[in-house]
Amino acid sequence: MSAKAISEQTGKEFLYKYICTSAAVQNRFRYASVTAETDWDRLTQDHPWLLTERLVVKPDQLIKRRGKLGLVGLDLDLQGVREWFKARVMKETTVGKAKGVLKNFLIEPFVQHPQEEEFYVCIYATREGDHVLFHHEGGVEVGDVDAKAQRLLVVVDEKLSEEQVKEKLLAHVPDEKKEVLASFIVGLFNLYEDLYFTYLEINPIVVTKDGVYVLDMAAKIDATADYICKAKWGDVEFPPPFGREAYPEEAYIADLDAKSGASLKLTLLNPCGRIWTMVAGGGASVVYSDTICDLGGVDELANYGEYSGAPSEQQTYDYAKTILSLMTREKHTQGKVLIIGGSIANFTNVAATFKGIVRAIKDYQGPLKEHEVTIFVRRGGPNYQEGLRVMGEVGKTTGIPIHVFGTETHMTAIVGMALGHRPIPNQPPMDAHTANFLLNASNSAVTPATTRTASFSEPRTSSEVNPAKKSKADLPADSLHSILWPLKNMVTGDWKEAQASSGCSGAKPTTLFRKQTKSIVWGMQTRAVQGMLDFDYVCSREEPSVAAMVYPFTGDHKQKFYWGHKEILLPVYKNMAEAMKKHPEVDVLISFASLRSAFDSTMETMQFPQIHTIAIIAEGIPEAQTRKIIKKADEKGVTIIGPATVGGIKPGCFKIGNTGGMLDNILASKLYRPGSVAYVSRSGGMSNELNNIVSRTTDGVYEGVAIGGDRYPGSTFMDHVLRYQDTPGVEMIIVLGEVGGTEEYKICQGIGEGRITKPVVCWCIGTCATMFTSEVQFGHAGACANQASETAVAKNQALRDAGAYVPKSFDELGDVIKTVYDELVANGTIIPAQEVPPPTVPMDYSWARELGLIRKPASFMTSICDERGQELIYAGMPITEVFKEEMGLGGVLGLLWFQRRLPRYACQFIEMCLMVTADHGPAVSGAHNTIVCTRAGKDLISCLTSGLLTIGDRFGGALDAAAKLFSKAFDSGMLPMEFVNKMKKDGKLIMGIGHRVKSINNPDMRVQILKDFVKQHFPSTQLLDYALDVEKITTSKKPNLILNVDGFIGVAFVDLLRTCGGFTRDEADEFVEIGALNGIFVLGRSMGFIGHYLDQKRLKQGLYRHPWDDISYVLPEHMSM
């Protein structure tokens, strides 16, 4: 969500730190926060003014009207404060419908003043700008400030001046206070803008001869602006609404959400409740909560939450296990139900997310059965059949009752089943597999010619269009005003006046998308683009709807895509101007820019007059930036869809990004050709659910738009309803509204004034909000009612009274749509056309493999490492375990080279080998090559490679050779003397024997260190003992024919592999044969080579040239013909 309430202490801290005004703001930073755990002696040391001044104490927990509730202690000394505090702290208190415990209190200096020095000021955001309210009488008895306060609207992107404040707001203020108040209000407004407040109220603000005192303050900030304001905000804590505890599990999920590109939300309502939900999608999560409450489950509803935006398997697992952990802590006499629901996903791989849920269910299968949990699942979207199959299987294997349903079942039907209001079908009908949708039903493989008009239904003349249904109550138009208006955030009056007041100067087109529409996609979203091209192809478009892509992080290039069966190239540009210049036919931009860059890229796009429509997909754009985008778009005549949207779709013509899901859903919902029904929704997931409902109850969708879940969507319900009203092919309109905002009342007004005459089916989700005792912020940022008129219940009633078709619940929405459609068919308004089969579109290989439809031998096989999951795995061991067990480098090498967890002594021996082989000076061939290469100015990798290429039988490669040679001799039963004599007779050197410098009299300490360790720790050293016996024979002939470090490591490693207990004899021999031991030298010596490289660079050595006097020139004598 965006607008979040902050504590009074946080709000005042921001104000005291950052307000810029000539008015003297008194008592800056003079506040103290206290809880039951407060050390009062320490508190008075930190705030000595507590001992000398009269004080005020009050709870700081987002409680409104504390004065009227008797929750403010006034004019007390410190002892009086402590007594007042002690009588109330940790006590349960009722505020409205909410019951909560008083925990956090604020102590401030008491300001003695007469009533006439109290004033009221409030600033709050609306779509068109920020409203400043001022009243010359503040305090507890301020009353209805909306009705009596002076009001000033500061339009988006405009500034507030002291002259405006004096003229518009301070008419009833004494002259001697006007200058101070004007300066303070302007400073407050600038602070409000700079720190991205959305609401800021001070009541009262006291103005005396000494200056300005901020007594009580309430505020909200736009949490999505954290990346902009982090330096000034710091780490802001957002307290829960009064009456709801802050649970650590909520904080855990919020932390997961912050670290993820997906959306993860959790609010605990009643941890003892028996009804738990795990719902995919912001809109769907509200619908499920509504249905549970409608069916009488409000007191047993345990949580609200949602997961969406394609979370990974691990993220879904973490989310699911948190919920399962919570619901299996306390038993319920009736058992518990878990509703795993969701609409039809647009792009989330349902099977992948279900894998995470299935893992969690398996982990908690014991507690789930013990608590008698029954699970109901309903989901649709990409690969949902596999997801449902896996979910059904886990029910059978664990014995947990799991009932699984797909798109053939109405989205919320499982709620009625879970609560016992409808029977559970034994074998629900299942839709065909995803793959079946992709094959043409006809025998022809060619793309059929389009035989449709603009609409799937036969066009009607405007005179034949039925007027909207009239309300049975037959209320006059003014009754809506008397019941629910005036509204704080609503521009009242005729709908045309409302449009004018919003500052719209550019004419916006009625038709956004045609069959020839071309777009540019901002962002490297290849999957979304391919989905658009497949949609274009199945709609029989002549050319792709995507002309180009813009991606600032690469140079200009071409990107490969499929157009039906053949491959095509689309250009990708580094900058927008170049793309626009080369593609003047483009009039739509689809922006996948991140929330940080969406504002700048959108404002840049609107500089090009060819663009008429922009879809902004990103969620989390600060509201202040969105309002600037809206203002610019209104001036330019550009239609904005979003932010926080999946986009929109016009069957047979154009689709935005991932809208409508994958091709199987496009075909199942008949989105490849136009129908007669147009809809507008806030939710992207619910728009896909509407596609499904409309395709099952009518002749299909004509156009559908998801305007986005933010408080200020770029285009409104009314914008699109009026477009549909003026579009001949549209015969009925569906609006899926939601709690929060007042846009739906404009539809009421349009129907009442006759501007909207086509049948309108409406339903506002979020009816459950009025049943909760504390405020719940739903998945969408805009889904929060700030007053009674913004509730879903009030809006549904107003729409019903105005003459719209409003069902009793979302459960009945499909039935109402079908009833209205059947009426239109019966009276001849809609004449359904004959179906035309869509063309064949081949399935992508990667997706077919994901669905398990094809198999192919892998190009590579690996058995040592897996990086695909949430955590890196070495030979079956997660990286966290590697560190927890302190396995060290030797342990990691054991996992990656030998696929074994080696004993501790073996890991230590490996590390010792790496240490003793790390370097042997600059004179050896490998180091020499590395140094020469370094001095030639080459890079690290080249220099290291140059040194490594010298390793072989003559240098460093003796480990393998020695191991093989000694092993063969020992295993054949040859005596050491026989072995030495045989090698001499064959004229071969004994690999691992001999040293240029070291001898029996000058031993190699590296060998001695290793020998001591091996003799102490290895269970058996048969091959080493054999090699030492050979050494006795060779050194008797010549003292430098010792067992060198290469030979020692080689034979000792064979002993290790054979006797550590982790390998069979054949496995041990195989590792020697394939060169594993030489790897020890290569790995160890690489450290030394890199050291030489860095040393030469550090010493700044120049190009090496070998001296002439160190070269013997032996050329043949000169010969002449």
Side-chain angles (χ1 to χ4, degrees):
M1 63 171 292
S2 52
K4 284 189 177 181
I6 54 176
S7 66
E8 183 174 4
Q9 179 181 339
T10 302
K12 286 183 173 176
E13 183 180 338
F14 289 168
L15 186 147
Y16 294 148
K17 270 186 183 178
Y18 301 116
I19 193 166
C20 185
T21 173
S22 60
V25 179
Q26 300 296 318
N27 286 340
R28 283 180 185 248
F29 304 107
R30 299 184 82 188
Y31 48 72
S33 179
V34 290
T35 66
E37 290 78 34
T38 295
D39 180 339
W40 288 85
D41 293 332
R42 178 64 184 271
L43 189 73
T44 53
Q45 289 176 17
D46 294 341
H47 305 281
W49 51 268
L50 290 170
L51 298 168
T52 59
E53 299 206 22
R54 303 299 292 176
L55 303 170
V56 173
V57 59
K58 55 193 173 184
D60 188 9
Q61 290 178 238
L62 309 184
I63 299 173
K64 299 174 182 177
R65 303 177 186 87
R66 290 170 295 189
K68 285 198 170 185
L69 294 169
L71 292 178
V72 180
L74 295 168
D75 196 14
L76 305 171
D77 61 10
L78 185 59
Q79 184 58 35
V81 165
R82 294 187 67 168
E83 291 171 2
W84 189 95
F85 169 78
K86 187 177 179 181
R88 290 163 180 81
V89 69
M90 302 309 293
K91 299 290 192 300
E92 188 174 80
T93 304
T94 302
V95 177
K97 292 193 295 182
K99 285 185 179 180
V101 176
L102 298 174
K103 296 180 178 180
N104 304 310
F105 290 78
L106 199 63
I107 306 173
E108 296 178 298
F110 174 69
V111 179
Q112 187 71 48
H113 62 276
Q115 175 66 37
E116 58 267 20
E117 290 185 339
E118 290 188 352
F119 302 95
Y120 172 91
V121 64
C122 176
I123 310 171
Y124 65 86
T126 61
R127 183 181 181 86
E128 61 273 11
D130 298 293
H131 292 263
V132 184
L133 270 64
F134 180 85
H135 192 50
H136 61 283
E137 296 173 345
V140 178
E141 303 298 334
V142 68
D144 185 3
V145 288
D146 282 343
K148 60 187 183 182
Q150 302 297 310
R151 187 185 299 264
L152 174 61
L153 171 63
V154 183
V155 177
V156 173
D157 250 0
E158 292 189 4
K159 289 295 179 184
L160 180 65
S161 69
E162 292 187 20
E163 288 69 28
Q164 285 177 297
V165 172
K166 291 176 190 174
E167 180 185 347
K168 301 285 187 182
L169 301 178
L170 306 182
H172 304 294
V173 173
D175 291 341
E176 67 273 12
K177 296 186 187 297
K178 283 186 177 178
E179 286 294 336
V180 174
L181 270 170
S183 174
F184 179 82
I185 291 173
V186 169
L188 190 69
F189 184 84
N190 291 336
L191 169 86
Y192 167 95
E193 280 196 323
D194 293 343
L195 267 66
Y196 284 75
F197 281 84
T198 62
Y199 182 86
L200 204 169
E201 180 186 58
I202 302 173
N203 180 38
I205 175 175
V206 172
V207 181
T208 70
K209 57 181 175 51
D210 299 321
V212 175
Y213 296 86
V214 177
L215 297 197
D216 282 354
M217 180 177 178
K220 293 182 179 182
I221 57 175
D222 186 348
T224 60
D226 179 69
Y227 73 96
I228 299 171
C229 300
K230 183 71 173 179
K232 290 185 176 181
W233 284 357
D235 294 320
V236 181
E237 284 191 23
F238 297 103
F242 183 73
R244 202 175 71 232
E245 295 297 314
Y247 292 92
E249 290 82 5
E250 293 176 336
Y252 172 69
I253 296 300
D255 184 56
L256 282 181
D257 179 62
K259 295 174 181 174
S260 166
S263 176
L264 302 165
K265 304 286 188 295
L266 176 64
T267 300
L268 286 176
L269 303 171
N270 174 16
C272 301
R274 67 177 293 262
I275 305 168
W276 292 77
T277 64
M278 196 185 306
V279 180
S285 61
V286 181
V287 171
Y288 277 96
S289 296
D290 283 352
T291 309
I292 291 167
C293 294
D294 287 343
L295 296 179
V298 62
D299 294 330
E300 292 288 357
L301 180 58
N303 71 308
Y304 166 78
E306 59 116 349
Y307 66 96
S308 58
S312 68
E313 179 185 331
Q314 183 64 36
Q315 289 163 346
T316 315
Y317 168 75
D318 291 337
Y319 185 81
K321 74 175 184 181
T322 303
I323 291 177
L324 297 184
S325 168
L326 286 164
M327 73 180 296
T328 53
R329 291 180 186 177
E330 293 186 32
K331 289 188 177 181
H332 197 285
T333 54
Q334 299 176 15
K336 295 185 178 182
V337 295
L338 173 61
I339 295 170
I340 301 176
S343 56
I344 300 173
N346 286 289
F347 56 89
T348 298
N349 185 334
V350 174
T353 56
F354 272 14
K355 283 179 185 175
I357 298 175
V358 164
R359 274 176 57 199
I361 291 173
K362 287 179 178 177
D363 287 353
Y364 280 86
Q365 58 183 296
L368 287 171
K369 286 190 277 191
E370 184 183 342
H371 287 75
E372 300 177 55
V373 175
T374 305
I375 300 175
F376 293 83
V377 182
R378 191 275 185 183
R379 194 73 164 105
N383 208 7
Y384 80 93
Q385 295 92 341
E386 175 65 11
L388 296 181
R389 185 193 68 77
V390 170
M391 196 68 78
E393 285 295 320
V394 79
K396 293 174 185 175
T397 56
T398 61
I400 299 167
I402 300 181
H403 305 282
V404 176
F405 304 92
T407 55
E408 77 291 336
T409 303
H410 185 68
M411 191 177 99
T412 53
I414 59 171
V415 177
M417 298 176 201
L419 272 58
H421 291 274
R422 66 166 75 193
I424 304 170
N426 290 327
Q427 289 183 322
M430 292 295 290
D431 281 339
H433 195 281
T434 302
N436 293 352
F437 288 125
L438 300 174
L439 302 177
N440 192 349
S442 69
N443 294 324
S444 172
V446 298
T447 302
T450 180
T451 58
R452 307 236 174 244
T453 59
S455 173
F456 183 57
S457 60
E458 296 296 327
R460 308 287 293 172
T461 60
S462 57
S463 61
E464 295 174 353
V465 175
N466 281 3
K469 177 186 175 188
K470 293 301 174 188
S471 167
K472 291 181 181 177
D474 202 23
L475 291 173
D478 289 340
S479 67
L480 289 175
H481 291 265
S482 63
I483 296 171
L484 299 168
W485 294 354
L487 301 170
K488 181 185 247 185
N489 295 346
M490 174 68 182
V491 181
T492 58
D494 186 87
W495 69 271
K496 292 179 181 175
E497 293 172 14
Q499 276 194 322
S501 70
S502 68
C504 180
S505 56
K508 297 184 181 182
T510 298
T511 303
L512 300 183
F513 312 114
R514 295 181 173 81
K515 199 136 186 155
Q516 295 75 36
T517 294
K518 290 276 192 172
S519 65
I520 287 175
V521 173
W522 198 106
M524 190 53 68
Q525 291 286 327
T526 53
R527 180 179 170 184
V529 171
Q530 185 61 63
M532 291 176 67
L533 300 190
D534 288 343
F535 174 81
D536 297 339
Y537 189 82
V538 86
C539 292
S540 304
R541 277 185 59 127
E542 294 180 2
E543 291 183 327
S545 60
V546 181
M549 301 169 73
V550 173
Y551 193 60
F553 308 106
T554 61
D556 292 1
H557 66 281
K558 303 278 188 182
Q559 189 74 29
K560 186 171 70 175
F561 291 97
Y562 287 102
W563 177 250
H565 297 259
K566 68 177 183 180
E567 292 181 306
I568 62 172
L569 295 174
L570 289 182
V572 181
Y573 298 97
K574 189 175 175 63
N575 66 76
M576 186 82 72
E578 186 71 12
M580 295 293 178
K581 179 181 176 184
K582 292 192 174 177
H583 300 278
E585 74 281 11
V586 165
D587 65 354
V588 174
L589 181 111
I590 301 168
S591 174
F592 284 95
S594 72
L595 62 92
R596 289 171 173 80
S597 57
F599 174 73
D600 291 333
S601 60
T602 304
M603 296 299 274
E604 180 190 3
T605 302
M606 285 191 281
Q607 296 174 8
F608 302 97
Q610 70 192 73
I611 297 296
H612 297 146
T613 306
I614 300 174
I616 306 171
I617 309 301
E619 182 177 359
I621 299 173
E623 291 177 353
Q625 292 186 346
T626 302
R627 293 188 304 165
K628 291 178 182 177
I629 289 173
I630 293 169
K631 183 181 180 185
K632 176 69 82 174
D634 286 343
E635 292 170 356
K636 298 280 189 179
V638 174
T639 298
I640 302 288
I641 297 174
T645 182
V646 71
I649 190 164
K650 188 171 183 181
C653 290
F654 188 85
K655 91 170 183 123
I656 296 171
N658 295 303
T659 311
M662 296 187 68
L663 204 56
D664 58 334
N665 191 67
I666 298 291
L667 298 171
S669 296
K670 299 182 175 64
L671 298 174
Y672 53 85
R673 56 36 166 201
S676 308
V677 183
Y679 69 79
V680 57
S681 160
R682 272 188 171 273
S683 166
M686 290 306 298
S687 70
N688 218 7
E689 194 63 41
L690 282 176
N691 291 331
N692 180 46
I693 293 171
V694 170
S695 71
R696 291 174 183 272
T697 54
T698 73
D699 65 351
V701 175
Y702 180 89
E703 184 177 340
V705 171
I707 60 174
D710 283 358
R711 279 214 298 172
Y712 309 121
S715 51
T716 65
F717 287 135
M718 194 61 172
D719 292 334
H720 295 286
V721 168
L722 291 177
R723 285 199 308 108
Y724 299 154
Q725 171 65 32
D726 296 336
T727 300
V730 176
E731 303 299 349
M732 63 179 282
I733 301 166
I734 301 171
V735 178
L736 190 65
E738 69 180 26
V739 60
T742 57
E743 190 61 33
E744 291 85 349
Y745 290 109
K746 294 183 182 177
I747 298 173
C748 299
Q749 213 169 344
I751 294 172
E753 295 171 359
R755 177 65 179 89
I756 301 170
T757 59
K758 294 177 180 177
V760 180
V761 178
C762 265
W763 177 251
C764 294
I765 65 174
T767 53
C768 61
T770 53
M771 303 183 194
F772 296 147
T773 56
S774 62
E775 180 185 299
V776 174
Q777 172 62 52
F778 295 113
H780 292 157
C784 185
N786 295 312
Q787 53 194 326
S789 58
E790 293 188 18
T791 63
V793 172
K795 291 195 282 190
N796 283 331
Q797 187 57 50
L799 287 160
R800 191 176 287 115
D801 293 339
Y805 294 84
V806 181
K808 293 177 182 176
S809 68
F810 182 82
D811 247 358
E812 298 181 6
L813 179 62
D815 297 334
V816 173
I817 291 171
K818 187 175 189 317
T819 300
V820 175
Y821 173 77
D822 289 346
E823 286 180 12
L824 293 173
V825 171
N827 64 30
T829 302
I830 295 176
I831 302 175
Q834 184 181 356
E835 285 288 353
V836 173
T840 302
V841 179
M843 183 184 288
D844 284 347
Y845 168 80
S846 58
W847 187 242
R849 187 179 61 183
E850 179 78 28
L851 295 175
L853 300 177
I854 59 172
R855 64 186 182 192
K856 165 186 172 293
S859 302
F860 286 97
M861 292 179 69
T862 181
S863 59
I864 63 168
C865 184
D866 190 345
E867 81 289 2
R868 295 171 300 172
Q870 186 79 0
E871 189 175 346
L872 182 65
I873 294 176
Y874 289 162
M877 178 173 274
I879 191 68
T880 51
E881 289 296 315
V882 171
F883 281 93
K884 190 184 296 181
E885 298 290 331
E886 298 182 349
M887 295 184 67
L889 185 58
V892 171
L893 192 145
L895 292 173
L896 295 180
W897 288 18
F898 305 114
Q899 295 181 304
R900 299 288 192 281
R901 183 170 179 181
L902 298 177
R904 184 67 192 153
Y905 71 85
C907 299
Q908 289 177 286
F909 177 69
I910 291 172
E911 292 175 7
M912 292 173 71
C913 291
L914 295 176
M915 292 163 69
V916 300
T917 59
D919 196 48
H920 204 225
V924 298
S925 58
H928 181 82
N929 264 25
T930 301
I931 291 169
V932 171
C933 196
T934 303
R935 293 178 62 171
K938 301 293 285 184
D939 61 277
L940 171 63
I941 306 301
S942 301
C943 299
L944 175 61
T945 306
S946 174
L948 291 175
L949 287 173
T950 64
I951 296 176
D953 287 346
R954 294 188 175 184
F955 168 63
L959 276 77
D960 274 349
K964 293 174 185 176
L965 202 58
F966 280 101
S967 297
K968 184 178 180 182
F970 176 79
D971 294 340
S972 66
M974 198 179 291
L975 295 173
M977 182 60 77
E978 290 176 327
F979 172 57
V980 173
N981 290 338
K982 184 178 186 305
M983 295 299 291
K984 184 177 181 181
K985 181 180 178 181
D986 292 345
K988 295 179 180 177
L989 296 173
I990 302 176
M991 303 305 293
I993 293 288
H995 200 284
R996 181 179 292 273
V997 177
K998 299 296 179 181
S999 68
I1000 194 73
N1001 303 315
N1002 178 24
D1004 188 341
M1005 291 310 298
R1006 297 178 298 170
V1007 174
Q1008 194 61 45
I1009 292 167
L1010 293 173
K1011 187 192 298 183
D1012 293 343
F1013 181 86
V1014 168
K1015 284 294 184 181
Q1016 183 181 349
H1017 294 94
F1018 279 27
S1020 173
T1021 58
Q1022 286 184 309
L1023 191 61
L1024 174 59
D1025 295 340
Y1026 183 83
L1028 291 173
D1029 287 343
V1030 170
E1031 182 189 48
K1032 290 176 183 176
I1033 298 168
T1034 56
T1035 52
S1036 67
K1037 299 177 183 296
K1038 200 172 182 181
N1040 71 329
L1041 294 178
I1042 59 172
L1043 182 65
N1044 59 34
V1045 71
D1046 293 353
F1048 183 93
I1049 293 173
V1051 295
F1053 227 106
V1054 174
D1055 279 335
L1056 174 67
L1057 293 173
R1058 289 182 176 184
T1059 64
C1060 72
F1063 307 93
T1064 65
R1065 177 64 178 269
D1066 288 341
E1067 287 174 333
D1069 291 344
E1070 183 183 20
F1071 279 116
V1072 174
E1073 194 61 37
I1074 61 180
L1077 305 192
N1078 266 1
I1080 296 290
F1081 184 85
V1082 170
L1083 184 59
R1085 192 51 59 93
S1086 292
M1087 292 188 283
F1089 291 167
I1090 292 171
H1092 285 296
Y1093 168 85
L1094 297 173
D1095 185 52
Q1096 295 298 307
K1097 290 290 187 183
R1098 188 169 53 247
L1099 295 172
K1100 297 182 172 55
Q1101 294 294 287
L1103 179 66
Y1104 175 79
R1105 181 181 175 86
H1106 204 73
W1108 288 340
D1109 59 6
D1110 193 34
I1111 302 173
S1112 178
Y1113 292 90
V1114 288
L1115 279 69
E1117 293 184 11
H1118 177 70
M1119 298 178 65
S1120 59
M1121 295 298 293

